[in-house]
Amino acid sequence: MARPDQVIGAPFDPDRHDLGSENAFWLLGHDGEGKLMHTQAMRVLDTGARSLGDYMRHGFRDFPPAVDGLDLERSRYRAGPGAQRMRGCIAYHGEFWIGGSPGQFRGSGLSSILGRYAFLEAMHRWDPDYVFGFMQRSVAFKGFAERHGYMHSEPGALRWFLQGKETPIEGFMVYMHREDLHYILDMPLAELVPMAA
C-alpha cells in the first residue's frame, strides 16, 4: 500500500489472517499525479453464533491501534448494548486514511463521500447485517463518525494502555445495522456535503 509512516493494521495484515476477495477488500485513492492519497478496508468477521460483544471480549487484542508499546494485559474491551445485539454477517471497517498536503483533501467533505462508497461496496459484496469500526475518542469528539456516516456510537468500548503510562488510549465503537446503511445510502449526499452539490 505504501502509506507514508503507517503500517498495515493487524486486522488487515495478510500474514495474520486468511483474507481474499470473498471476505475482504481495500479501497485506494490516488491524486492527479498518481500518488496514494486514500486508503480504507473492510473484512467480514467469523463470529460464529456469538454476538460481536462476546467475540470481542476474547478477540479485541486482534484489533490494536497501530502504536508501539501496548500493554495488552492492562488493556480491555467493554461490550455495549449494540455489540451485544450484533449477530450474523458482521463487517469490520478500518484503515481509513486521507493524505495530501494540509487542506488539499482533508476538511473538504471527501471523507463523507469515501466512507459511504465503502458502505455501498460492502452492501454489494456481502449485504452485511452490521458494519462496525473503532475510532479514537479524540477523533470521535470531532464529529468524524457523523461525517463518515455512522449512526451509532458506543463510548468507552476500548481502553488501550501503553507500557509505563497511566493514561489510556480510549476507543469508541461505531456501527450501523443494515437498515441504517440503506438509510444513509439513500440520503442525497448533497444534503450533507456542500462539495457534492
Side-chain angles (χ1 to χ4, degrees):
M1 229 83 38
R3 291 183 302 175
D5 304 320
Q6 285 186 287
V7 297
I8 293 176
F12 294 99
D13 186 340
D15 294 332
R16 295 182 184 214
H17 305 283
D18 185 17
L19 301 174
S21 59
E22 328 74 48
N23 67 347
F25 66 85
W26 280 87
L27 296 177
L28 308 177
H30 296 83
D31 66 14
E33 297 172 1
K35 187 176 176 183
L36 185 69
M37 55 70 62
H38 170 66
T39 65
Q40 63 180 313
M42 280 204 195
R43 62 174 279 209
V44 174
L45 298 184
D46 182 9
T47 61
R50 295 175 291 175
S51 71
L52 180 64
D54 289 340
Y55 175 86
M56 293 303 288
R57 266 191 207 93
H58 303 288
F60 80 94
R61 290 177 181 88
D62 293 333
F63 296 80
V67 296
D68 291 326
L70 286 175
D71 185 339
L72 295 178
E73 291 302 313
R74 288 195 301 155
S75 299
R76 64 106 179 114
Y77 169 79
R78 177 184 297 152
Q84 299 284 38
R85 288 189 296 267
M86 289 185 209
R87 285 183 166 77
C89 179
I90 303 173
Y92 172 67
H93 184 203
E95 299 295 313
F96 194 92
W97 170 79
I98 295 180
S101 59
Q104 184 181 11
F105 301 115
R106 294 180 191 169
S108 66
L110 195 56
S111 62
S112 296
I113 296 167
L114 294 170
R116 282 164 177 77
Y117 182 69
F119 297 151
L120 181 63
E121 186 66 23
M123 293 297 288
H124 282 305
R125 288 176 182 246
W126 308 310
D127 192 25
D129 296 295
Y130 293 94
V131 170
F132 82 101
F134 293 116
M135 193 170 289
Q136 194 168 334
R137 184 172 101 168
S138 61
V139 175
F141 279 178
K142 292 177 183 175
F144 188 71
E146 289 81 6
R147 287 196 309 272
H148 209 73
Y150 280 102
M151 294 179 63
H152 307 283
S153 176
E154 294 189 346
L158 286 170
R159 182 171 269 201
W160 296 104
F161 282 93
L162 298 173
Q163 293 171 3
K165 305 226 182 216
E166 291 307 311
T167 304
I169 299 169
E170 297 279 353
F172 282 42
M173 188 184 86
V174 293
Y175 68 94
M176 287 195 289
H177 185 271
R178 181 185 291 123
E179 293 170 351
D180 301 324
L181 287 162
H182 284 288
Y183 177 82
I184 285 293
L185 292 173
D186 285 343
M187 182 179 291
L189 197 56
E191 294 178 7
L192 299 172
V193 183
M195 72 172 282

